[in-house]
Amino acid sequence: HPYAGNFDDGNAVESMQRLMDIINANGDSNKPIHFTEAGYGHGGWSNVPALREIVKHAVSQYAWQNAVMGITHQQNFYYFTDQMGYYDMWLRSRQLTPAAVALRTYTGFVKGQQQARQLDFGSLEAVRAFLYPGKERHVIVMWTVGNYVPADTPDPTSEVTFTVSAAEVERFDHYGNPLPAEVKDGELKLTVGTYPSYLVLPA
């Protein structure tokens, strides 16, 4: 989507669906789609808060593309842009960018999983969540929709509750760090913020 706001707004999803309609109408639905590059505006490589914000847009984009268009981890070519042109997504000088770490975390969790399915949280319209089913585990990536959040402003959050049969589950932040996830009486209550987190469940 050609602006530096939340990727997962309705127009972006509708645009992807229209692309799929064109592809299907031309008889090419059996061919894989490859995503080669993405760019996001930022205030320069020394602006860490701005680079962290790109985490939201990047993970959101790849999750929606997987769910709507079936673009898998193997079909993404992870590239990044700045005002000087194209650079490898993972490395700038000798350091990984925040978005690079987040995308590496994302690809690690979804690798080998099936195509994502969007989860519906009903009245909690701000919550975005995608289930990646798998033979050995299920992975849910979730976040709360929100545009740029100033550094001195609390992160907008939503409370969600899952009913789970597993006695133990795992949860991680967008950099792969463990987060608390305690199951009590078959329920798991979580606070979801604008940065993506991962819930890992036994299959």
Side-chain angles (χ1 to χ4, degrees):
H1 204 277
Y3 70 93
N6 265 334
F7 181 83
D8 62 341
D9 99 335
N11 291 332
V13 179
E14 290 174 6
S15 296
M16 284 188 285
Q17 188 57 59
R18 286 197 298 270
L19 280 173
M20 289 304 301
D21 292 342
I22 294 171
I23 290 170
N24 294 335
N26 283 276
D28 290 328
S29 57
N30 62 332
K31 298 177 182 178
I33 301 170
H34 295 269
F35 184 72
T36 60
E37 58 206 43
Y40 304 92
H42 60 81
W45 293 98
S46 61
N47 189 339
V48 174
L51 292 176
R52 287 184 70 246
E53 287 294 309
I54 297 171
V55 166
K56 296 188 240 180
H57 310 320
V59 173
S60 169
Q61 172 174 289
Y62 287 109
W64 276 110
Q65 286 177 171
N66 185 290
V68 177
M69 304 182 75
I71 301 177
T72 67
H73 168 49
Q74 293 88 347
Q75 293 162 275
N76 282 318
F77 190 47
Y78 297 100
Y79 251 64
F80 195 72
T81 63
D82 69 5
Q83 53 267 45
M84 296 174 64
Y86 288 96
Y87 285 90
D88 185 45
M89 184 69 191
W90 306 128
L91 195 65
R92 176 63 174 173
S93 183
R94 295 184 178 181
Q95 294 180 327
L96 292 172
T97 66
V101 178
L103 276 184
R104 188 173 66 176
T105 301
Y106 168 79
T107 59
F109 278 114
V110 305
K111 184 178 181 180
Q113 301 296 111
Q114 299 171 23
Q115 183 173 344
R117 308 171 191 172
Q118 185 181 5
L119 300 181
D120 183 6
F121 280 81
S123 61
L124 294 175
E125 295 179 355
V127 177
R128 295 287 184 265
F130 294 87
L131 168 66
Y132 293 79
K135 293 182 179 180
E136 298 181 359
R137 65 177 186 173
H138 297 322
V139 177
I140 297 174
V141 57
M142 66 189 96
W143 65 88
T144 300
V145 173
N147 283 320
Y148 181 78
V149 180
D152 58 349
T153 304
D155 190 35
T157 60
S158 294
E159 305 297 322
V160 299
T161 301
F162 289 91
T163 300
V164 295
S165 57
E168 294 184 358
V169 300
E170 295 180 289
R171 191 183 181 206
F172 302 88
D173 70 9
H174 53 287
Y175 294 140
N177 300 308
L179 293 173
E182 184 179 0
V183 178
K184 283 188 176 181
D185 299 324
E187 287 191 343
L188 175 65
K189 296 184 178 182
L190 302 175
T191 299
V192 181
T194 61
Y195 287 92
S197 62
Y198 300 87
L199 184 63
V200 181
L201 306 163

